Structure formats: C-alpha cells, structure tokens
Amino acid sequence: MARGTLRIYLGAAPGVGKTFRMLEEGRRRAARGADVVVGFVETHGRAETAAQVRDLEIVPRSRVTYREAEFEEMDLDAVLARRPEIALVDELAHTNVPGSRHAKRWQDVEALLDAGVEVVSTVNIQHLESVNDVVRTITGVPQRETVPDAVVRAADQVELVDMAPEALRRRMAHGNIYRADKIDAALGNYFRIGNLTALRELALLWTADKVDEALRRYRDEHDIQGVWEARERVVVAVTGGPEGDTLIRRAARIAARSQSGDLLAVHISRGDGLTGADPARVERQRELTESLGGTFHAVVGDDVPAALLDFARGANATQLVLGTSRRPRWQRALSEGIGSRVTARSGPIDVHMVTHAEAAGQRRLRLPQLTGGLTARRRIYGFVLAVIGLPVLTLVLEAVQGQLDLSSELLLFLGFVVAVALVGGGYPAVFAAAAGTVLVNFFFTPPVRTFAIAEFDNLVALSVFVLVALSVAGVVDVSARRRREASRAQAEAEMLSALSRGVLAGGRALPALLTQVRDAFGQDAVTLLERTDGRWTVIDSVGTPSETGDVDVPVDETLHLVLRGRRLAASDRRVLAAFAAQAAIALRQARLSVRAAEAAELAEGNRMRTALLAAVSHDLRTPLASIKAAISALRMDTVELDPDDVDELHATIDESSDQLVALIDNLLDMSRLQTGAVDPLRREITLDEVVPRAVADAGVPGIGIEVPETLPPVLADPGLLERAVANLVSNAVRHGAGAPVVVRASTLGDRVEVRVVDTGPGIPEEDRDRVFGPFQRLGDRPAGNGVGLGLAVARGFVEAMGGTLEPEDTPGGGLTMVVSLPVGKPSPEVDE
C-alpha cells in the first residue's frame, strides 16, 4: 500500500487563517469528487471558520476521561475504519489526553499516512521544536506543545499562511480571533507588533529553508551543476591561518547585505593529512562562524582549488571569499597561487580576494628610514657573492682557456660585476671590479701569470671594464636611494592624507592619534604634556607616560608632544609636527565638547525655569485666586451666607488646596529627577497592594482595577510606583474625554506590566515622545489644571526603578500607558 501524502499549512501566529485555509482546501477537493472527511478541527468559536465545515463529513470524536474530567480527541480508529481519500486534521502539535492511542497528534497523522490516507494539517511556527527557545525569548511565553522539525520537513507540501502584523492585530481588535474579554491582554502581550514581526520572520525563514531543500533535491535529481542565484550564499575558504578571522567577518558582512544570505566557511584538508593548520585555531574559526550565524564545513581534497569549487557549486554558492596569498613574491612568480586558479575556474561564482595583515607585501603605515641606498644585509650579500663568485668564474674560464678571447672574458667578468652591483650596490661592486681587474690581468691578459700588460689595446679594454663596472655600481646605488626616498614620500603622503581626513571629519579621538604616532615613528611611548601653574601634567599617553623622552616636539607655549623609544631624523620631524598640531586640535575639540555639554545643561535648566515661571503664572495663581476669593467671601460681614453656600466655599478651598499640593509635589519631584536626587529603595512588592492605593491617591472615582492576586512580586520602590501610577490615572481621566479608565496588570516573560487603559481620543503618533517632556500638555493648551509634569514625573520614577513607560494604542481607540517592571523572582511557566 502506497503511503499517503502530507500537506501542512504553516502559520506565523494564531489567527492568520490556517484552519480556514485547510477547510477551504478540503471543500475544493470535495467539490472535485474526492472523498474528504474532517478528522479533527478546532474552530475556536470563530463563525467564519465554523461556516467552512458545514457540508463536510465529520468523523465523530472520541471521548477520553482523565482525572474525573472528560475530553474530546480525534477518533483515530474511526478515521482508519472510514478509510477516506483525504483527512483534515487540525493542530498537528497537539498533545493527546493520556489514555489515547498516541501521545501526540502528529503520531496519529503518521498512522493515517501509513494507511495510505492523504492528510491536510496545520501548525504554527512557535510549535516547531527547533525554534521553541527562540519563540520563548521573543514572546516570553513557553510552548509546551511541540512537533519535531523532521515531521514537518518530511511533508510533501508546506504552504505558508502569512498576514501582516497590523492586519492580524486589526482582526484581533474586531473580535475575529479571541473573545472580547481576552483581546486587550492578547494585544498587549503575545500579539505585540514586535512579537508578530519576529514570528513572521521566523516563519518566512523556515519556509525559505524548506524551499531551498526542495531546490537542492531537484538539482541533485536532475544532475544540475550550474549555479542558480535564487539566494545569496557566501562561501569563505579558511586555511587555519591567522587571517581566517578577518575573512570570516568580511564574508559575514557580504552575506548580511542581502538580508537572507547564507554564510558557509570551508576548510580544505589534504588527503595526506599534512595541512600545517593549527587545530585550535581552526576550532576557534568554527566557533566564530557559528556565532555569526554561519555553518562550518571540513572537506578533504588533494587539489585545493578543485575541492573548493566543487564544494561551492554543490552548495549553490553565489560568492566565494579568499584571502590574498601569504607567500613571498618570488614564490608567487614561480607558481600560480590558489586564488588565481580558483578565479580562473570559478565561472559564474563571484570571487572576492580580501587583503589582510598577514598577506605578503602588507606593511603597516610606517615611515622608512633614509639610510643610504641599500640595507647592510644587501651589501653583505654582495660582498659574499663577489668573494665566492670571482674565484669560481676564474676557474671556469681557465678550464676553457684558448676557446675564448680576452674581450669575451672581460664581458663575462663585467656581467658578474653588474650582478654583484644589483645584489649589493656600490661598495661590493667596486670591490668586485677591482678584484676582477686583477684576476683578468693576471690570468688572462698576455703575458699571463704576470701583472704586466704587453699591448695597449688590452690596457684600454681593462680601463673600460673598470669604468663600466663602477658606473653600473653607482647607478644601482642611486636608484636604490631614489626608490627608498619615493617609498618614504609615499608613506608621508598617506599619513598626511589620513591626518587631513581626520581634520576635515573633526572629532578624532586623542588616544587613537597618539597610537598612530607611536606606530608610524616606531616609538615605545607617546605622551602629550601641558604646562599648568608652572608644572607639566600628562594629558594623555600611549605606553608608559613620561615627562622626558628621546624626542620633544613643542606644539605651542603650553603643549609638548614627547616621544620615547629612538631619536628621529630631521626629515621625520616635519611629519611629526603635523601630528602634534592635530593632537592639540583633538584636545581642544574634546574640551569644547565638554563645555558644549555643560552649556546645553545650563540651557536646559534655563528652559525649565522659563517653563516653570510660565506655568506658575497661570496654574499656581488659579487655585490661589480661588482660595483667596472663597476666604474673602466667608469673612464678609455685609453678606449673609446660607449653610449650602458656606459648604460650597469650604469645598472650593479644599479642592484648590489639593490642587496646590499636587502641583507642588510634582514640581518637587521634577526637581529631584532633574538633579539626580531620586534614589529608589527597590524591594519585592505586590501590585494588588500598590495599585489600589495609587488609584485612591488619584482621587478619581469609577476607575476599574484588574490586578490578579497570582501575579509575582515586582522589584520597585512602593512610594515611587504609587506616585507614577496615580499620575498616569489622573492624566488618563483628565484627557480621556470622560471615557472609562481601567488599570490592568499581567506578566510578560520575566517582567510584569501595569497598563492604564482609556478609550478617549488618544495621542497622535508624532506627539508621543513630546508629552513625556516637562511642562508639556497635549496641544500645549493653557486650559485645565496642572503644569504638564505628570507624565514626565511618572516616566522619571519608573526609569529610576529600572522599568520602562511607553504609550500604545488602545484597541478600538484611545491610549494605553504601559509600565514594565522586572519581577522579583522567577514566575511559573504557563501555557499559551
């Protein structure tokens, strides 16, 4: 019997329409004449979903008793006995009630598939085993019901049911997913925009991997070797050398530019095992690759370029990252490197050759020394070549004496002198020319074995030989000196260019500048000194600070740059003076930045004082005027007041006094926040005690409170939290246009959230940050009580306690203020 096929509708979150799509597919197949039954479907009370079941055959559910309660499960035996063509089975990750035939519903589905029944099922991304921990980190909700990834990956078809987070939240707000009493809590917890976006990305990436797996299988079945650039895949070749970290990070950046690009690192080992790679370094590079989201692969191959390209083509790679060769130039001249061979054979794969500090020819930006034409080592090599080569050449020419004339012998000696000049420069060449002249005169110029010269032509030939040899030696020495001078000029130009870019960009850090000076001039330490009150003080230093050194460069009357390590030539001081000037600029910029910050703080203080005076001019004067008028009326002897009038005047005095107290409290609190004098005493407290007191302090009747007693305690200062919640409640009542206000509390992961919900006009998105500023009122309207400090004080207190205060839209209209605080101890896990 052929095994049945499995089709799965994968969703990013509850409510995206997986069950609806499954039933829709079942109805479509039934309309085409297929035998379709509903094995199990959960409508969750949604009318639209229930309507899709109306004319489909439903296999009755089995009833299972567990712990004196009765539960309904899919009747697997009944479905098998019915033997339909297609069975619709909802919620693949569901855990069956103990006593059922299988522990998990996906095992029931496997039984149906083994019986030859085609199954259409559903599952959400959060129920996949591989992403379970990721989903918990994102949403704060652990998922107890999971399904192995292998089950879903083995499905013949996986179709993603997608919906934008905003659209899903609108469905939730309209009551199309949960009951009305669960909507606010769901929108404020699991169904946040950030949570839904992250879950959607997980679902898209998982589906993309499934599609990629199908593509690889198709390419293998049809023996397709070419690269299909359906997705960016960056392969980086690592040798286990010190440059590997640089290459891996560069490849990761290339992969990151394409958002969904894959990073694959590959290490090629030769078949004989003689790789020369450090196993510990290879392992570190493996860990680095995996930490950057990539995968590490080890491949064995004697032909490294072929093995690398075979791997890249097998992985359908689009880009290949290699490091430039670490071999010296003479080795690269003798044999073509791996990079060149890979590039020549790569075909449609883009090859990136990345330079690094270990590459041959790489050098630090450092000034070479002007110490003549060639190095001492080159001169020694020249002398050694002359001492060994001249006797050897003489012996060879003596062995063939009679076959060459004097002119040929002179040319051979001249060629050897030129070779010595190229290797060692002028002094070894002069020595070789002098020694060669003596040897030619003694052994090859008639009469031989004497220093006499019989013919004038031979004297001319020897003289020309000496002049040419000396001229070549001089030319080589001068060219070497010019090359070194050009190299130094290039280094100076690069340094000054980098320095000018720093000047133009501004804000270059002083320590970085001093580090560059130390490296460029080969010093042990660099110190910037400043004279204050007749004494030198260290402003900044790289290396061991010192007031004295080998080089002292005055910047101005008060600043000196001191270098310790080696003395510098006069030519170096020109560039060093530019660095010293830039160091002074960097120091002044840093000090100006500090002064600017102080000025900004003073300006903010002035703005606060100006706003305070403006607020006091109205909001402080109004209750005082009311109190004054009421007291004056009570003291008047000329007017008789009945008891009701007296009570009303007393109430006016009491209400205005409360306004004054609240205003002064907020002003004092804002002053404490501005000066950093708030020092919260955080301890574990329960919200069911603090929230009612805060609502009572707000003095507003009719406020709803929904704070479960089972909530874990939070870490907070009870006094500050009470003031913050009271301010939020007062603000909601004041600006809620008479709409009801509710205070709710719930857990979200390792935090507890207090939500002050109103259904008033709300606050425009662009004004939400501004309303938390001191002395801000919605629309900056002068009408009403308060100076616009309530929200500023509330946020200041909450943040001082290590929490956050953020505004959100209330479903259906209005504003919700969300206070998030850390729990005092781990909360128990709950199912979604």
Side-chain angles (χ1 to χ4, degrees):
M1 179 184 298
R3 179 178 167 87
T5 59
L6 174 61
R7 179 171 185 165
I8 295 177
Y9 288 97
L10 174 68
V16 295
K18 303 177 304 301
T19 303
F20 188 93
R21 292 286 294 277
M22 178 189 72
L23 293 171
E24 191 176 52
E25 173 66 12
R27 289 168 56 83
R28 185 181 67 82
R29 301 284 288 276
R32 293 168 53 186
D35 182 14
V36 181
V37 301
V38 176
F40 188 93
V41 66
E42 183 60 68
T43 64
H44 298 286
R46 300 164 192 163
E48 293 180 356
T49 305
Q52 292 290 316
V53 191
R54 60 183 182 273
D55 52 359
L56 291 174
E57 179 184 347
I58 302 176
V59 177
R61 302 179 182 182
S62 66
R63 297 181 178 275
V64 182
T65 302
Y66 178 67
R67 292 183 178 178
E68 301 181 354
E70 196 171 63
F71 300 90
E72 289 187 343
E73 294 289 358
M74 182 178 74
D75 193 336
L76 176 60
D77 293 330
V79 177
L80 289 172
R82 171 65 175 75
R83 296 189 63 81
E85 291 182 42
I86 303 169
L88 308 182
V89 182
D90 203 8
E91 297 184 351
L92 186 64
H94 172 74
T95 301
N96 293 329
V97 175
S100 302
R101 182 170 171 180
H102 296 113
K104 291 284 191 175
R105 183 164 293 161
W106 63 264
Q107 294 172 317
D108 295 339
V109 168
E110 288 290 319
L112 291 174
L113 295 173
D114 290 338
V117 179
E118 181 180 344
V119 178
V120 182
S121 188
T122 65
V123 71
N124 278 331
I125 188 67
Q126 68 263 27
H127 294 298
L128 296 183
E129 185 64 49
S130 64
V131 298
N132 184 260
D133 56 337
V134 179
V135 172
R136 178 174 180 175
T137 301
I138 294 171
T139 64
V141 179
Q143 302 293 331
R144 296 188 182 277
E145 294 187 329
T146 60
V147 59
D149 285 50
V151 174
V152 184
R153 288 192 180 278
D156 299 274
Q157 296 182 56
V158 176
E159 184 173 335
L160 178 66
V161 183
D162 188 31
M163 181 176 289
E166 295 79 6
L168 186 57
R169 282 174 60 88
R170 282 195 298 270
R171 288 197 66 196
M172 173 70 74
H174 294 158
N176 295 330
I177 301 177
Y178 289 164
R179 296 194 309 270
D181 58 338
K182 292 185 176 182
I183 291 176
D184 287 343
L187 287 174
N189 292 279
Y190 194 89
F191 283 79
R192 294 168 177 261
I193 287 286
N195 291 359
L196 296 177
T197 303
L199 291 172
R200 188 187 191 196
E201 183 179 14
L202 276 178
L204 290 169
L205 290 174
W206 196 95
T207 307
D209 287 338
K210 171 70 175 174
V211 173
D212 185 57
E213 179 184 330
L215 177 61
R216 285 199 301 269
R217 186 167 59 249
Y218 177 85
R219 284 165 51 86
D220 291 341
E221 291 172 354
H222 293 78
D223 195 25
I224 298 174
Q225 300 297 326
V227 175
W228 288 5
E229 299 186 13
R231 183 176 183 178
E232 287 290 348
R233 284 184 179 80
V234 182
V235 172
V236 53
V238 294
T239 63
E243 75 282 358
D245 293 1
T246 301
L247 301 182
I248 293 170
R249 291 190 176 94
R250 178 60 182 275
R253 290 196 296 272
I254 294 173
R257 293 193 192 111
S258 62
Q259 301 300 322
S260 60
D262 291 337
L263 171 65
L264 299 90
V266 57
H267 174 64
I268 310 292
S269 302
R270 296 190 182 274
D272 56 11
L274 301 177
T275 62
D278 182 359
R281 181 175 283 147
V282 172
E283 183 59 30
R284 287 197 301 271
Q285 291 171 2
R286 176 194 296 274
E287 294 172 357
L288 174 61
T289 303
E290 293 173 351
S291 70
L292 294 172
T295 57
F296 193 94
H297 307 265
V299 176
V300 177
D302 292 327
D303 187 345
V304 175
L308 181 57
L309 287 172
D310 287 345
F311 175 83
R313 293 190 181 103
N316 201 24
T318 56
Q319 303 190 59
L320 186 57
V321 177
L322 304 174
T324 53
S325 177
R326 285 182 282 143
R327 300 184 305 160
R329 292 180 181 177
W330 66 270
Q331 288 187 11
R332 284 182 283 166
L334 294 176
S335 64
E336 189 179 22
I338 292 176
S340 300
R341 283 184 281 169
V342 168
T343 304
R345 306 179 199 172
S346 62
I349 302 176
D350 297 334
V351 179
H352 301 263
M353 299 297 296
V354 179
T355 59
H356 49 84
E358 304 298 326
Q362 290 292 309
R363 58 182 178 84
R364 299 171 70 181
L365 194 60
R366 185 166 180 167
L367 292 178
Q369 299 300 308
L370 292 177
T371 56
L374 296 173
T375 62
R377 177 177 295 182
R378 288 276 300 274
R379 296 185 188 281
I380 292 173
Y381 288 162
F383 278 112
V384 171
L385 178 61
V387 170
I388 297 175
L390 286 173
V392 172
L393 179 60
T394 302
L395 292 174
V396 171
L397 291 178
E398 272 207 310
V400 297
Q401 194 168 11
Q403 300 179 24
L404 298 175
D405 59 11
L406 180 61
S407 59
S408 298
E409 293 166 343
L410 286 174
L411 287 175
L412 289 174
F413 271 92
L414 179 60
F416 181 80
V417 172
V418 171
V420 172
L422 293 174
V423 173
Y427 294 120
V430 170
F431 170 77
T437 302
V438 173
L439 292 173
V440 170
N441 185 18
F442 187 81
F443 289 102
F444 305 107
T445 304
V448 295
R449 298 293 193 277
T450 67
F451 290 104
I453 301 175
E455 299 180 10
F456 181 74
D457 290 344
N458 293 339
L459 178 61
V460 172
L462 284 173
S463 301
V464 171
F465 166 75
V466 173
L467 290 176
V468 171
L470 295 178
S471 298
V472 170
V475 168
V476 170
D477 201 59
V478 169
S479 65
R481 184 179 292 107
R482 295 291 182 266
R483 183 186 61 80
R484 187 168 290 271
E485 290 174 352
S487 175
R488 178 187 173 84
Q490 180 184 2
E492 288 185 2
E494 291 176 3
M495 282 190 174
L496 293 175
S497 175
L499 195 61
S500 63
R501 287 195 299 270
V503 173
L504 292 175
R508 187 166 188 185
L510 184 58
L513 188 65
L514 298 183
T515 300
Q516 187 178 6
V517 172
R518 182 189 63 182
D519 294 341
F521 295 95
Q523 300 294 317
D524 297 330
V526 179
T527 305
L528 183 63
L529 302 175
E530 184 178 29
R531 181 185 290 275
T532 54
D533 299 328
R535 296 179 56 191
W536 290 104
T537 57
V538 176
I539 301 300
D540 207 339
S541 176
V542 175
T544 305
S546 174
E547 295 184 7
T548 60
D550 299 293
V551 181
D552 189 342
V553 180
V555 182
D556 54 30
E557 294 181 356
T558 60
L559 290 176
H560 276 226
L561 191 65
V562 176
L563 285 69
R564 184 165 52 81
R566 66 178 181 85
R567 295 193 175 276
L568 298 180
S571 56
D572 290 330
R573 289 181 173 266
R574 180 178 67 255
V575 180
L576 184 58
F579 275 97
Q582 178 64 8
I585 293 173
L587 176 62
R588 295 189 184 101
Q589 285 178 339
R591 290 176 173 175
L592 287 174
S593 297
V594 173
R595 292 173 185 170
E598 293 173 350
E601 187 176 344
L602 290 174
E604 178 64 17
N606 290 332
R607 190 188 69 80
M608 292 278 292
R609 284 189 287 272
T610 302
L612 176 61
L613 291 174
V616 167
S617 65
H618 176 271
D619 296 282
L620 193 60
R621 185 174 57 200
T622 300
L624 285 175
S626 299
I627 294 173
K628 173 69 174 174
I631 293 176
S632 298
L634 290 172
R635 296 182 62 188
M636 289 179 62
D637 297 331
T638 58
V639 178
E640 268 192 43
L641 301 174
D642 57 33
D644 291 339
D645 292 335
V646 172
D647 290 341
E648 184 176 351
L649 291 173
H650 284 160
T652 299
I653 294 172
D654 185 59
E655 181 180 349
S656 298
S657 300
D658 288 342
Q659 292 178 10
L660 277 177
V661 170
L663 174 62
I664 292 171
D665 284 344
N666 277 336
L667 288 172
L668 291 175
D669 290 339
M670 198 66 236
S671 175
R672 291 167 60 201
L673 289 170
Q674 290 290 330
T675 57
V678 176
D679 187 15
L681 300 175
R682 295 203 308 166
R683 59 182 177 86
E684 290 188 355
I685 59 174
T686 56
L687 292 179
D688 58 342
E689 297 178 359
V690 174
V691 171
R693 290 202 305 266
V695 172
D697 290 345
V700 181
I703 304 298
I705 301 176
E706 300 177 8
V707 181
E709 295 181 356
T710 57
L711 285 178
V714 298
L715 282 176
D717 184 309
L720 297 184
L721 180 58
E722 188 176 319
R723 288 293 309 281
V725 174
N727 281 2
L728 294 177
V729 170
S730 299
N731 185 78
V733 172
R734 184 179 303 114
H735 299 288
V741 177
V742 180
V743 182
R744 298 190 177 99
S746 60
T747 58
L748 180 63
D750 58 351
R751 301 184 76 81
V752 174
E753 292 186 339
V754 179
R755 312 173 74 83
V756 180
V757 183
D758 71 66
T759 55
I763 297 177
E765 186 77 28
E766 60 272 14
D767 292 333
R768 290 189 178 176
D769 287 334
R770 189 166 60 88
V771 296
F772 287 103
F775 307 106
Q776 292 289 334
R777 288 175 294 199
L778 186 62
D780 285 332
R781 294 190 298 269
N785 299 323
V787 293
L789 284 174
L791 293 182
V793 170
R795 173 172 273 187
F797 281 173
V798 171
E799 291 180 349
M801 293 183 291
T804 60
L805 172 58
E806 299 294 339
E808 290 183 358
D809 287 325
T810 300
L815 182 71
T816 299
M817 290 290 183
V818 184
V819 177
S820 177
L821 296 167
V823 299
K825 58 184 178 182
S827 58
E829 292 188 351
V830 296
D831 291 331
E832 180 191 2

